[in-house]
């Protein structure tokens, strides 16, 4: 059985490397982000299969953490403009800075 | 406490580490009181180090058991982290506490704005704690972590003024620091891979000449040379030191760079001792001569007070490189090098603090236009001159004794038959001459005739601390015998 | 066949790959000038060092050496904090100089000197005025 | 014995969907169709693999943990797909790619 | 058969890793480099799994996927908005020519000049080659594993890595917590936030997902912290997971971010370091030495330190993500 799990994990690793073509070529940054999201899911699956191959149940926790945090990168990508610029720093006040751009989007 | 001083020493070492960390944490938790914690803490720390040195001298009559090793958490060497105190680290600890206290008192006057005080003091106390731990640590990975503590806080302080020059200088300094730390860490990993041990003393017992040791030596020395801005890798020093606040430049030039040099010395006297071949010594010596010439030329050319002093750091560190070949021939020469580094750190710190006071008074630090300020502020110019004299190495100052001993070692190499020694002797003497050049360039406008202009009011701290430190730097000459005696208490040194 | 399997043991492949990553990061650090790329290069060099360390720890039959794993964990946390500070510095540099490139240039001696000890540079006065607006 | 064969069949089915997802990611013309590739791969592909692994899992705790992983990946996949689609729709292709 | 497949798995993984790293550093578009770097982090976690280091894989997953990726993406966006702001030209300032292509500079790094290619390549090849030769001459396993096993009984925890981290080499871990704090102090000295306005998400999807994810993240974080004493896990992984949950909340801010008054926030930030040192000093007097625990008290003390460290790391990582000190700090 472990040979089968390992074969499946190897196959999934191959799909990740194939997916890299989309990351390299992908015209839009949205495509790249999607590819990264797919890699996250495939990574979770590989970890689950490896947890059985290497008999280390801790890998299920690693998969759990990956599944949990896959959304952070996606949200960071979409809502990037969430954070305006830090304003009054000790010394820059006199550099005539405009009030930081309010978030129009 | 009836126990003998030797038994009290481990407790004192752990206490010093705990004290410096506690001060930094307190300043981080109560930023509004950070400057008071910093001020009183600096005096407390200096007193603790003096007490420790008294205990150390009392405890270490014979050099063999002088290296006090403290097992942190009670775990012995291969497993736990060991603190290591011997003559070499004791001397530099005293230097760090003297320069640290002076800089802290100076900063009380320099950083007077309530908002900035709250950020400056925690960073500065972390830097000071990092330096203390760097000097006390005896474990390779722990040295890496202490270097990171020192690097990050130093970069944050360089970027403190927030101007374009300061932030770009800090960025360059950060990139080079992380690169240096990673190359140092790779060296540690290679040694750990070969010997499975991280403690320096155990490593020294196990290292023999092999590909891993050579590669680890190259990586660790290159990483530390990056951090100490030794000649071929000094590109970051002038912009970072030139644009940092004055107390930060003083500490950077005095302590942080000397700390990295201390590590190079510790490694090449310990684990990498068998690797030091004469050819390598001559190569390092030639780098030193090049540093002397390049640094002095830049200092003589530069228009700003602070960048003159920054370039002079590169030049004076050329001496430390020249000393490498001397150490290979005359095994006692390493004590002279350390003594020179101590005197240079004291003098450089006081010159930077004096330059900071003058810059505060004048609002700029272009020498050509500072005539009036220099003429009016006699006390600061005297401090600048006195420390400059010690940099030059005129008689009766610490610098003179250091250079005299270096010359002695240089002559010894000539007698030992290697002709290259002549180059070292000429370089050492010439270096003093060049130093005279740029020190006098800084002080010369004071002697021209012209109006006096006291400029901005200066707080008493900023007025008297540079003078005090300059006097200590000059007086270091008389403490020569005591320092050299402390240095002899380093076991395992050639 | 046995020799090949012995040579391709994880204890040797992964340290070699780690050394290659270290060299790759070094190459990227020297070549690229954009600061974010240089931060990425330093992260890749760090990962190379940790791969060498863990590769060494995985040699031999028994469980890998816990001290090496503890060092790697410490290294990863140090790397992420250094990266976070470096990125904050890059953003601040871009805000002031308008670009995030670190081109090698001589330090300009006539840059305006800002001295935090002088009165007109005190931020608290400006902060008070800004809060009153 | 049956559990093993069932697991093999389920995991193979899951792999088919992952292959379909990757193929879709490479072959589809624009962002919106590639979104389907992403969501198909994880909610069905991963779902089948996790079903297969549940048969091998030790106690009920492992089975519940595997189920939790599947739910989380579902949430991540749908959120990411929705937000990317919405942002691409409102802002058009991202200007950084010109 | 299965170890042959393992070797193939290793080779494919390493080729993928090196390929991703190379393309990431060679790409002219910054966004592509960041996405490649996130993928690099994922493949790295698989490499740590393959090297039987589940703790490190857990940390790489929590920090790589959660923190570094989000940090890089937000940094790119800040560079972009700075470039747009300068390109729009502030009314009181004539638009500087550099600003015209500042947008291009912000997220696009032109391929470097040819002249630095050969020296950089040879230098990297020499360094890499020497290292590989050094590594291939090294002996077989020579680690400290037996020594650690010998002292495990006294360490107070069952998991060797947590024992090394929090008992045998507690000093390194303490300094590492200090480094995270110093990085934050550095970032705080660069800028201040007067207020972080609320930015509710346009649709119901994101708030809904957050309502599901954040509680699960907190429970997972506590679980991983607790598991650290007997299985892979521990303070840093848990802190990174809670930090990532905090970053999620900061990105999708339903309400104004509270500009916390300085002292409670700083107490929370320095809790890990402060408690660690306090217990260390107690250990100096009644225990075996500085940062040492009396053997029978080792387990409870380690748990206390781990909880404090987790809270501090989570708070510090979120504050590092925002990278500006709260206005409460300044008045």
């Amino acid at each position: 059985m472990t040979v089968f799990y390992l074969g499946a994990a190897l196959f999934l690793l191959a799909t990740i490397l194939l997916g890299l073509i989309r990351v390299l070529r992908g015209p839009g940054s949205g495509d790249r982000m999607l590819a990264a999201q797919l890699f996250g899911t495939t990574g979770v699956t590989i970890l689950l299969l490896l947890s059985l191959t290497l008999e280390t149940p801790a890998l299920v926790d690693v998969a759990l953490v990956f599944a949990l945090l896959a959304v952070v990168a996606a949200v960071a990508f979409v809502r990037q403009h969430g954070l305006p610029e830090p304003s009054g720093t000790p010394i820059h006040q006199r550099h005539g800075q405009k009030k930081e751009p309010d978030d129009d989007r | 406490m009836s126990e003998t001083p030797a038994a009290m020493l481990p407790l004192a070492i752990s206490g010093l580490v705990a004290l410096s960390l506690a001060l930094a944490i307190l300043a981080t938790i109560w930023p509004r009181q950070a400057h008071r914690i910093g001020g009183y803490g600096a005096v407390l720390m200096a007193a603790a180090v003096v007490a420790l040195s008294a205990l150390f001298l009392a405890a270490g009559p014979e050099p063999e058991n002088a290296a006090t090793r403290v097992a942190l958490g009670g775990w012995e060497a291969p497993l736990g982290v060991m603190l290591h105190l011997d003559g070499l680290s004791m001397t530099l600890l005293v230097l760090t506490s003297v320069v640290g206290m002076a800089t802290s008192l100076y900063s009380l006057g320099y950083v007077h704005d309530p908002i900035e005080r709250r950020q400056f003091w925690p960073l500065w106390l972390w830097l000071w704690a990092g330096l203390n731990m760097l000097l006390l640590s005896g474990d390779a990975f722990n040295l890496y972590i202490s270097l990171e503590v020192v690097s990050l806080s130093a970069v944050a302080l360089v970027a403190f003024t927030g101007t374009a020059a300061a932030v770009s200088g800090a960025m360059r300094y950060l990139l080079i620091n992380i690169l240096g730390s990673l190359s140092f860490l790779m060296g540690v990993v290679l040694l750990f891979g070969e010997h499975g041990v991280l403690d320096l003393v155990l490593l020294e017992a196990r290292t023999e000449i092999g590909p891993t040791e050579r590669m680890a030596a190259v990586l660790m020395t290159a990483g530390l040379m990056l951090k100490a801005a030794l000649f071929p890798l000094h590109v970051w020093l002038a912009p970072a030191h030139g644009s940092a606040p004055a107390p930060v430049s003083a500490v950077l030039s005095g302590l942080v760079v000397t700390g990295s040099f201390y590590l190079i010395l510790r490694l090449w006297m310990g684990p990498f001792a068998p690797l030091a071949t004469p050819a390598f010594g001559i190569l390092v010596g030639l780098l030193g001569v090049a540093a002397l010439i390049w640094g002095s030329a830049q200092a003589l050319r530069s228009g700003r007070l602070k960048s003159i002093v920054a370039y002079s750091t590169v030049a004076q560190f050329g001496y430390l490189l020249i000393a490498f070949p001397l150490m290979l021939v005359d095994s006692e020469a390493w004590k002279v090098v350390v003594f020179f580094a101590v005197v240079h750190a004291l003098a450089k710190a006081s010159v930077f603090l004096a330059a900071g006071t003058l810059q505060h008074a004048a609002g700029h630090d272009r020498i050509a236009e500072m005539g009036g300020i220099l003429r009016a502020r006699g006390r600061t110019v005297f401090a600048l001159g006195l420390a400059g004299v010690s940099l030059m190495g005129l008689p009766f100052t610490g610098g003179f004794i250091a250079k005299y001993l270096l010359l002695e070692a240089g002559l010894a190499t000539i007698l030992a038959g290697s002709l290259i020694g002549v180059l070292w002797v000429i370089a050492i003497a010439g270096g003093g001459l060049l130093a005279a050049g740029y020190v006098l360039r800084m002080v010369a406008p004071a002697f021209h005739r012209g109006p006096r202009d006291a400029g901005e009011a200066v707080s008493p701290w900023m007025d008297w601390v540079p003078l005090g430190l300059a006097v200590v730097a000059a007086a270091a000459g008389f403490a020569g015998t005591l320092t050299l005696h402390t240095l002899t208490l380093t076991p395992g040194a050639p | 066949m046995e020799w090949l399997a012995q040579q391709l043991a994880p204890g040797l492949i992964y340290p070699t790959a780690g050394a290659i990553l270290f060299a790759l990061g070094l190459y990227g650090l020297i070549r690229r000038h954009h600061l974010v790329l240089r931060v990425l290069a330093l992260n890749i060099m760090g990962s190379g060092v940790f791969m060498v360390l863990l590769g060494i720890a995985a040699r031999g039959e028994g469980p890998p050496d816990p001290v090496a794993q503890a060092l790697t964990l410490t290294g990863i946390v140090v790397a992420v904090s250094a990266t976070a500070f470096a990125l904050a510095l890059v953003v601040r540099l871009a805000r002031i100089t308008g670009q995030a490139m670190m081109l090698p240039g001589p330090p300009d001696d006539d840059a305006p000197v800002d001295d935090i000890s002088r009165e007109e540079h005190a931020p608290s006065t400006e902060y008070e005025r800004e809060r009153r607006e | 014995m049956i559990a093993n064969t069932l697991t093999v069949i389920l995991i193979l089915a899951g792999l088919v969907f992952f292959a379909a997802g990757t193929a879709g990611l490479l072959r589809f013309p624009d962002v919106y169709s590639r979104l389907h590739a992403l969501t198909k791969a994880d909610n069905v592909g991963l779902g089948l693999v996790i079903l297969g692994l549940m048969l091998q899992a030790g106690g009920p705790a492992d089975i519940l943990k595997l189920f939790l992983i599947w739910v989380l990946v579902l949430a991540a996949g749908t959120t990411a797909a929705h937000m990317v689609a919405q942002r691409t729709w409102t802002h058009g292709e991202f200007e950084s790619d010109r | 058969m299965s170890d042959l497949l393992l070797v193939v798995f290793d080779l494919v993984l390493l080729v993928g890793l090196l390929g991703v790293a190379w393309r990431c550093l060679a790409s002219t578009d910054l966004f592509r480099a960041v996405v490649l770097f996130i993928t690099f982090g994922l493949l790295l976690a698989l490499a740590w799994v393959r090297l039987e280091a589940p703790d490190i894989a857990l940390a790489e997953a929590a920090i790589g996927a959660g923190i570094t990726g989000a940090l890089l993406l937000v940094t790119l966006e800040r560079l972009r908005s700075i470039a747009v702001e300068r390109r729009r030209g502030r009314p009181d300032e004539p638009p500087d020519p550099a600003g015209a292509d500042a947008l291009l500079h912000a997220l696009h790094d032109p391929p470097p000049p040819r002249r630095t290619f050969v020296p950089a390549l040879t230098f990297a090849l020499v360094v890499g080659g020497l290292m590989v030769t050094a590594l291939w001459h090294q002996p077989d396993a020579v680690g400290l594993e037996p020594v650690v096993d010998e002292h495990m009984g006294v360490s107070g925890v069952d998991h060797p890595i947590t024992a090394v981290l929090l008992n045998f080499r507690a000093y390194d871990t303490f300094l590492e917590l200090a480094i995270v704090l110093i990085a934050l102090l550095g970032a705080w000295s660069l800028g201040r936030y007067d207020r972080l306005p609320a930015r509710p998400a346009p649709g119901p999807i994101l708030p809904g997902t957050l309502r599901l994810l954040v509680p699960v993240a907190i429970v997972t974080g506590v679980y991983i912290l607790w598991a650290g004493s007997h299985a892979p896990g521990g303070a840093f992984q848990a802190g990174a997971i809670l930090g990532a949950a905090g970053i999620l909340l900061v990105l999708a801010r339903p309400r104004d971010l509270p500009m916390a008054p300085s002292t409670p926030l700083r107490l929370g930030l320095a809790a890990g370091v402060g408690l660690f040192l306090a217990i260390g000093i107690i250990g100096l007097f009644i225990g075996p030495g500085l940062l040492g625990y009396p053997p029978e008290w080792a387990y409870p003390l380690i748990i206390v330190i781990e909880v404090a460290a987790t809270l501090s790391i989570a708070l510090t990582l979120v504050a590092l993500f925002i990278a500006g000190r709260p206005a409460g700090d300044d008045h």
Side-chain angles (χ1 to χ4, degrees):
Chain A
M1 275 310 279
T2 56
V3 174
F4 171 73
Y5 295 136
L6 200 51
L10 195 56
F11 175 79
L12 288 172
L13 192 61
T15 57
I16 286 188
L17 297 188
L18 273 175
L20 280 178
I21 300 168
R22 173 53 60 200
V23 174
L24 294 178
R25 206 153 41 89
S29 42
D31 305 311
R32 298 196 175 101
M33 211 54 225
L34 280 188
Q37 188 68 29
L38 180 61
F39 297 157
T41 314
T42 320
V44 166
T45 324
I46 293 177
L47 282 168
L48 291 178
L49 290 169
L50 283 180
S51 75
L52 282 176
T53 323
L54 306 173
E55 283 97 26
T56 43
L59 295 186
V60 179
D61 295 345
V62 181
L64 178 63
V65 166
F66 255 111
L68 201 60
L69 301 183
V71 93
V72 174
V75 168
F77 161 67
V78 172
R79 292 186 57 84
Q80 294 163 344
H81 41 268
L83 289 174
E85 265 305 298
S87 59
T89 45
I91 299 96
H92 310 308
Q93 214 52 26
R94 69 188 166 291
H95 279 328
Q97 251 143 24
K98 192 169 70 59
K99 247 190 89 22
E100 80 262 17
D102 43 16
D103 299 298
D104 41 17
R105 278 172 297 196
Chain B
M1 294 286 275
S2 63
E3 291 138 14
T4 64
M8 289 261 294
L9 212 48
L11 193 67
I13 297 171
S14 312
L16 177 66
V17 168
L19 172 69
S20 48
L21 290 172
L23 282 176
I25 294 172
L26 276 175
T28 314
I29 290 177
W30 284 288
R32 281 177 181 66
Q33 313 303 335
H35 56 287
R36 288 195 188 85
I37 295 171
Y40 297 123
V43 177
L44 191 64
M45 188 96 85
V49 169
V50 168
L52 181 67
S53 57
L55 259 175
F56 177 75
L57 287 176
E62 62 277 9
E64 288 74 24
N65 65 3
T68 316
R69 289 167 66 73
V70 179
L72 280 174
W75 306 109
E76 277 310 320
L79 188 60
V81 177
M82 301 288 284
L83 293 182
H84 181 97
L85 178 72
D86 55 11
L88 175 59
S89 43
M90 189 68 240
T91 318
L92 290 176
L93 255 177
V94 170
L95 164 72
T96 309
S97 64
V98 168
V99 173
M101 189 173 78
T103 314
S104 304
L105 299 180
Y106 184 85
S107 309
L108 285 176
Y110 191 85
V111 187
H112 54 74
D113 182 76
I115 287 184
E116 275 156 11
R117 266 198 315 225
R118 293 182 193 137
Q119 277 112 57
F120 178 85
W121 282 96
L123 283 172
W124 156 237
L125 287 172
W126 276 116
L127 177 58
W128 194 350
L131 282 170
N132 281 350
M133 287 180 285
L134 185 69
L135 294 170
L136 279 173
S137 166
D139 179 279
F141 187 79
N142 193 259
L143 286 173
Y144 160 73
I145 292 278
S146 309
L147 277 172
E148 280 290 319
V149 169
V150 167
S151 311
L152 275 184
S153 36
V155 166
L157 285 169
V158 166
F160 198 76
T161 44
T163 64
V167 174
S168 58
M171 191 68 216
R172 199 186 301 269
Y173 185 27
L174 178 65
L175 289 179
I176 284 186
N177 255 327
I178 297 180
L179 178 61
S181 297
L182 281 179
S183 111
F184 183 85
L185 180 62
M186 185 56 118
V188 170
V189 162
L190 286 178
L191 286 179
F192 181 70
E194 180 81 14
H195 305 296
V197 166
L198 281 171
D199 192 77
L200 288 184
V201 171
L202 296 180
L203 271 178
E204 188 178 342
R206 300 173 186 221
T207 47
E208 72 284 341
I209 301 185
T212 316
E213 275 77 12
R214 255 189 231 102
M215 191 60 198
V218 165
L219 282 169
M220 290 168 95
T221 315
L224 290 169
M225 282 174 80
L226 269 172
K227 285 175 173 291
L230 295 180
F231 178 68
L233 310 165
H234 61 285
V235 62
W236 58 270
L237 189 116
H241 290 207
S243 51
V248 174
S249 317
V251 164
L252 281 178
S253 283
L255 301 177
V256 175
V257 180
T258 311
S260 308
F261 176 74
Y262 152 77
L263 261 184
I264 294 177
L265 203 60
R266 173 76 75 189
L267 288 174
W268 283 94
M269 277 181 0
F272 300 137
L275 292 169
T277 59
F280 174 75
I282 290 172
L283 166 71
V284 171
L286 291 176
L287 286 182
V289 173
L292 252 174
I293 295 164
W294 186 85
S296 308
Q298 292 289 345
L300 291 171
R301 217 163 43 84
S302 159
R304 281 178 48 196
L305 194 57
K306 274 190 160 181
S307 51
I308 288 182
V309 184
Y311 284 126
S312 81
T313 307
V314 177
Q316 299 291 328
F317 264 50
Y319 275 102
L320 301 179
L321 287 173
I322 290 175
F324 256 79
L326 304 185
M327 280 200 287
L328 296 179
V329 173
D330 164 11
S331 67
E332 291 305 311
W334 71 270
K335 299 191 188 62
V336 172
V337 171
V338 174
F339 182 65
F340 177 82
V342 165
V343 168
H344 166 261
L346 287 169
K348 185 50 55 69
S350 57
V351 166
F352 254 119
L353 294 183
T357 313
L358 293 175
Q359 181 187 340
H360 170 82
H364 61 81
D365 67 345
R366 290 179 293 280
I367 300 177
E369 300 144 20
M370 284 177 80
I373 301 287
L374 289 171
R375 277 185 288 280
R377 295 200 168 277
R379 199 173 304 122
T380 316
V381 171
F382 177 69
L384 199 65
L386 192 56
V389 157
S390 181
L391 273 180
M392 279 189 270
L394 294 188
F396 303 118
T397 61
F400 173 74
I401 299 211
K403 285 192 176 142
Y404 179 78
L405 293 172
L406 273 176
L407 275 176
E408 226 176 47
L411 293 174
T413 54
I414 298 176
L415 296 181
S418 71
L419 243 82
I420 197 81
V422 175
L423 177 63
W424 307 145
V425 168
I426 295 169
I428 293 168
L433 217 60
L434 290 171
Y438 50 73
V439 165
L440 292 181
R441 222 176 137 246
M442 284 192 288
V443 183
F447 301 102
H448 301 156
R449 219 177 302 285
R452 292 162 170 268
D453 159 23
E456 186 93 9
V458 170
S459 87
W461 294 114
M462 290 171 65
D463 225 353
W464 290 98
V465 167
L467 187 59
L469 200 54
V471 166
V472 168
F478 303 106
T481 47
L482 178 63
T483 328
L484 290 176
H485 167 64
T486 325
L487 287 173
T488 53
L489 301 178
T490 314
Chain C
M1 189 52 193
E2 172 50 38
W3 176 82
L4 187 62
Q6 192 258 340
Q7 288 312 90
L8 294 183
L12 270 178
I13 311 175
Y14 280 89
T16 316
I20 297 170
L21 274 178
F22 187 86
L24 190 66
L26 192 63
Y27 170 77
L29 185 67
I30 297 169
R31 284 278 285 168
R32 304 312 299 266
H33 289 306
H34 198 287
L35 286 174
V36 173
L37 280 178
R38 283 190 154 170
V39 169
L40 290 186
L42 284 171
N43 272 4
I44 287 175
M45 280 176 81
S47 308
V49 173
F50 299 141
M51 191 175 277
V52 170
L53 180 56
L54 281 181
I56 288 171
R59 287 181 181 153
E61 284 66 31
D65 171 14
V67 173
Q69 292 184 16
L71 300 187
T72 317
L73 201 58
T74 311
I76 286 177
V77 174
V78 164
V80 84
S81 48
T83 308
F85 178 53
L87 291 177
L89 209 57
V90 166
V91 169
R92 177 52 50 189
L93 187 64
R95 183 156 191 82
I96 295 173
T97 59
Q99 58 165 346
M101 309 286 260
M102 175 57 80
L103 300 175
D108 42 11
D109 272 357
D110 41 30
V113 171
D114 260 317
D115 196 345
I116 58 177
S117 61
R118 285 184 63 93
E119 220 36 60
E120 70 266 19
H121 301 311
S124 53
T125 44
E126 278 128 13
Y127 179 67
E128 296 310 326
R129 194 175 63 250
E130 192 190 68
R131 274 187 39 207
R132 273 193 306 278
E133 278 148 18
Chain D
M1 193 39 214
I2 306 131
N4 282 354
T5 49
L6 256 180
T7 309
V8 167
I9 296 162
L10 283 171
I11 290 183
L12 280 179
L15 291 189
V16 165
F17 276 94
F18 272 106
T22 313
L25 191 69
L26 296 181
R27 299 285 301 170
F28 283 154
D30 62 1
V31 182
Y32 309 110
S33 51
R34 290 188 197 119
L35 286 180
H36 297 292
L38 161 69
T39 42
K40 287 302 167 296
D42 61 36
N43 55 24
V44 180
L46 183 62
L48 287 170
V49 169
I50 281 190
L51 266 180
L53 296 181
M54 275 182 185
L55 299 175
Q56 306 290 337
D62 298 337
I63 293 174
L64 283 177
K65 192 184 276 191
L66 287 172
F67 181 73
L68 176 63
I69 291 175
W70 183 49
V71 168
L72 288 176
V73 169
L74 265 182
T78 44
T79 322
H82 165 75
M83 286 191 297
V84 167
Q86 186 191 10
R87 172 160 174 154
T88 316
W89 181 256
T90 51
H91 293 278
E93 279 304 311
F94 295 98
E95 53 280 18
S96 71
D97 315 320
R98 290 294 163 274
Chain E
M1 178 57 184
S2 76
D3 51 18
L4 176 65
L5 266 179
L6 269 176
V7 167
V8 171
F9 185 86
D10 289 341
L11 290 180
V12 171
L13 182 62
L14 288 180
V15 164
L17 256 169
L18 293 174
V20 165
W22 171 53
R23 289 312 305 164
C24 168
L25 291 180
S27 67
T28 50
D29 174 47
L30 263 296
F31 185 80
R32 184 192 330 172
V34 165
V35 171
L36 282 171
F37 186 73
I38 293 174
T39 317
F40 177 79
L42 166 75
L43 294 177
L44 207 56
L46 293 182
W48 303 147
V49 163
R50 189 51 202 93
L51 288 171
E52 294 146 52
D55 285 68
I56 316 295
L58 204 57
E60 187 72 39
I63 289 180
I67 311 270
T68 317
L71 208 60
L72 285 164
L73 288 169
V74 168
T75 305
L76 288 194
E77 176 53 28
R78 282 177 170 170
L79 293 181
R80 240 185 108 268
S81 65
I82 291 170
V84 165
E85 175 197 326
R86 293 184 80 93
R87 189 164 144 175
R88 208 183 294 148
R90 285 177 226 126
D92 50 7
E93 217 181 77
D96 52 353
D101 54 7
L103 177 62
L104 195 58
H105 272 305
L107 286 185
H108 186 82
D109 184 28
R114 300 300 303 170
R115 58 181 170 72
T116 61
F117 174 71
V118 173
L121 187 67
T122 44
F123 180 62
L125 283 178
V126 164
V127 169
L130 284 176
M131 242 185 285
V132 168
T133 46
L135 283 168
W136 280 63
H137 281 89
Q138 290 198 337
D140 215 345
V142 77
L144 283 168
E145 211 268 333
V147 182
V148 172
D149 275 352
E150 200 182 299
H151 293 79
M152 272 310 285
V154 187
S155 72
V157 283
D158 313 333
H159 191 51
I161 293 167
T162 314
V164 170
L165 268 176
L166 282 159
N167 201 342
F168 302 144
R169 295 185 71 92
Y171 190 48
D172 285 348
T173 316
F174 174 84
L175 289 182
E176 173 200 335
L177 286 172
I179 285 174
V180 179
L181 194 58
I182 292 169
L184 177 66
L185 291 176
W188 272 12
S189 71
L190 292 174
R192 182 189 68 237
Y193 271 107
D194 293 327
R195 47 183 285 276
L196 266 173
R199 286 196 68 264
I205 301 281
L206 188 56
T209 313
L210 285 193
R211 256 194 293 279
L212 164 71
L213 279 185
V214 173
V216 171
I218 292 171
V219 169
T220 315
V222 171
Y223 158 68
I224 295 235
L225 168 63
W226 183 256
S229 58
H230 56 277
F236 303 106
Q237 295 90 337
I241 293 168
L242 297 179
I247 286 174
L248 265 180
L249 284 177
V250 164
L251 279 173
R253 295 190 297 286
R255 279 182 302 280
D256 273 16
L257 216 61
M259 287 291 120
S262 146
T263 313
L265 178 62
R266 284 184 176 242
L267 269 178
L269 291 172
V273 173
L275 211 61
F276 209 141
L277 187 66
I279 294 177
I281 290 175
I282 296 169
L284 176 62
F285 292 112
I286 58 171
L290 186 65
L291 293 179
Y293 319 106
E296 66 283 358
W297 283 89
Y299 182 66
L301 287 179
I302 286 180
I303 289 296
V304 164
I305 290 177
E306 283 220 280
V307 168
T310 307
L311 290 178
S312 294
I313 287 176
L315 261 174
T316 317
L317 287 176
V318 174
L320 268 172
F321 179 78
I322 298 170
R325 68 180 182 282
D329 217 33
D330 279 5
H331 52 63

